[in-house]
Amino acid sequence: MTRCRYRIILATWMAVFCLLLVLSGPILAQKTDQEPIHVTANKLEADIKEKKVTFKEAVRAVQGDITITCGMMTIFYTEGQSSGVEGGQDIKEIVASGNVTMTQKNRQIKGERAEYKNKERTIVITGNPVTAREGSNVVSGGRMIFYLDEERSIVEGVATKQVEATIFPEKKSQPK
């Protein structure tokens, strides 16, 4: 295998691994980073000159009980050493578009586009509406921003739709 081909494969798998860890961060309650990742798509394009890898058509990435589906996923990377693999690349940005859905057990986030920016450590999900569900609880809006290092998020409305939330109180067990 040529060095160039090896770098493409390495960049692709690093990007998918980071995507699963980062984009699914807001819906994760447990770590799954030791489990294998399985990605399917109708097409994979690697562009070394542009420093990007793109999965196209019917993209599905699965790690443990986490699944991300979308129409297209593009991973932008930088040259140089990655934090984990000598001679690899660092992820700069990941963009998933076209009916993006992230699920884990009874949690789900849906939108038209999800962008992860490594430097800012943010995930921005847009669509009309973007919807986050956990069980019966639902929050929707035009844009959701997740600040990964701050463990906080913002949901914004759009001109035609305000932010909406339906939260069900926890049922407390009755004393006997």
Side-chain angles (χ1 to χ4, degrees):
M1 184 178 301
T2 67
R3 183 176 170 92
C4 185
R5 205 174 265 166
Y6 172 76
R7 292 189 83 179
I8 292 171
I9 293 168
L10 179 63
T12 301
W13 285 110
M14 283 177 44
V16 172
F17 180 74
C18 288
L19 175 78
L20 284 168
L21 292 178
V22 172
L23 284 183
S24 59
I27 61 173
L28 291 177
Q30 62 190 28
K31 294 189 179 225
T32 59
D33 57 356
Q34 299 302 312
E35 296 187 39
I37 300 164
H38 182 73
V39 180
T40 57
N42 290 344
K43 191 176 196 178
L44 167 65
E45 293 179 7
D47 187 333
I48 295 171
K49 190 175 185 178
E50 295 292 321
K51 298 181 183 108
K52 69 180 183 178
V53 176
T54 303
F55 293 92
K56 292 184 175 181
E57 302 171 17
V59 181
R60 180 180 171 91
V62 179
Q63 184 180 33
D65 62 354
I66 302 161
T67 302
I68 299 172
T69 59
C70 59
M72 184 168 67
M73 182 186 304
T74 303
I75 296 100
F76 300 89
Y77 58 92
T78 60
E79 293 275 343
Q81 285 192 285
S82 72
S83 54
V85 180
E86 187 176 328
Q89 292 80 27
D90 281 327
I91 301 301
K92 179 178 173 184
E93 179 180 7
I94 300 170
V95 177
S97 60
N99 295 317
V100 178
T101 302
M102 295 174 277
T103 59
Q104 181 199 32
K105 297 181 184 176
N106 69 337
R107 298 178 182 138
Q108 181 181 72
I109 298 175
K110 284 186 172 191
E112 276 304 307
R113 183 177 176 93
E115 296 180 21
Y116 164 67
K117 305 245 186 220
N118 190 25
K119 187 176 181 181
E120 294 85 2
R121 300 276 300 139
T122 59
I123 301 168
V124 178
I125 303 172
T126 55
N128 196 8
V130 176
T131 306
R133 297 179 184 274
E134 183 172 9
S136 299
N137 300 321
V138 180
V139 176
S140 64
R143 181 166 102 145
M144 292 184 184
I145 307 164
F146 297 93
Y147 298 89
L148 300 174
D149 293 336
E150 301 171 33
E151 295 183 12
R152 71 181 181 102
S153 59
I154 296 173
V155 181
E156 299 174 339
V158 291
T160 58
K161 184 174 180 1
Q162 290 183 302
V163 173
E164 290 185 39
T166 304
I167 311 295
F168 291 87
E170 274 189 54
K171 293 182 179 180
K172 295 181 181 178
S173 59
Q174 299 292 328
K176 292 184 179 182

